[in-house]
Amino acid sequence: MALATVDPAGLPNVRIVLLKEIEPATENGGAFLFYTNYESAKAQEIEAAGQAAFVLHWKSLRRQIRVRGAVTRESGAKADAYYRSRAPGSRFGAWTSQQSKPLVSREALLKERDEIAARLGSDPDRPPFWGGFRVTPVEIEFWADGADRLHDRFRWARQTTADPWTVGRLYP
């Protein structure tokens, strides 16, 4: 998904992240989860604003979903379980990457990864600076491509995550 955040000056940032899970409405009110380094630029922007937006686009299906909402950390059992499910190389990558910070060279990165792997062993625990974020929507828009650019658009919206949804059709 393409995740959008804003920096302290209000300048938007967008990047692709892996949507790892969609929680049903019965669990945490329904939410979308992704994982990252909590020290990254995106995490710092999320922590400061407490909200974010993302879009999922399926060109082949001619469909799109936009979501805006409140964001909270997932640093408990779900984050631990997902971290454990990752390939060992990806787990060491989480420990190694000082995401969004300048890097001297690729060789330095690989050397650091090897040193961390030697120090932590073959099955490291989840780093304390790595975990998930849960986007709990206050707005979801579904878009379907239409003939003559007369697309179908529907928006579910609510003021807060505790409020009921209202649904409306939008002009294309």
Side-chain angles (χ1 to χ4, degrees):
M1 65 187 188
L3 176 73
T5 58
V6 294
D7 70 13
L11 187 63
N13 273 318
V14 179
R15 78 286 284 157
I16 301 297
V17 299
L18 174 64
L19 172 61
K20 187 57 187 161
E21 182 179 352
I22 301 173
E23 292 179 333
T26 56
E27 184 179 345
N28 295 309
F32 303 85
L33 273 78
F34 67 95
Y35 294 83
T36 192
N37 184 317
Y38 289 141
E39 297 170 357
S40 68
K42 75 175 129 338
Q44 296 302 306
E45 292 169 0
I46 286 168
E47 297 279 5
Q51 54 196 2
F54 67 85
V55 65
L56 298 163
H57 181 250
W58 297 275
K59 183 179 175 92
S60 61
L61 297 177
R62 299 166 39 196
R63 300 289 186 269
Q64 174 177 284
I65 298 172
R66 291 187 328 110
V67 175
R68 299 180 341 138
V71 185
T72 55
R73 277 190 184 197
E74 171 50 67
S75 55
K78 271 192 180 192
D80 291 339
Y82 172 55
Y83 180 79
R84 288 251 174 255
S85 76
R86 300 175 83 202
S90 293
R91 286 186 271 158
F92 289 119
W95 274 99
T96 306
S97 178
Q98 297 176 38
Q99 199 172 66
S100 304
K101 293 185 175 61
L103 174 63
V104 174
S105 68
R106 180 146 186 91
E107 292 75 26
L109 176 67
L110 298 176
K111 181 180 181 213
E112 187 173 349
R113 182 215 41 209
D114 293 346
E115 289 169 358
I116 287 171
R119 188 175 79 240
L120 297 178
S122 62
D123 189 25
D125 288 334
R126 178 176 59 86
F129 54 83
W130 188 96
F133 281 109
R134 173 179 287 106
V135 180
T136 304
V138 294
E139 184 178 305
I140 302 174
E141 180 185 317
F142 293 89
W143 174 93
D145 188 30
D148 301 320
R149 300 194 55 79
L150 297 177
H151 313 303
D152 280 322
R153 290 176 63 198
F154 292 91
R155 179 175 52 208
W156 277 250
R158 56 189 177 175
Q159 290 296 102
T160 71
T161 58
D163 291 334
W165 292 101
T166 60
V167 183
R169 181 184 276 274
L170 303 173
Y171 274 94

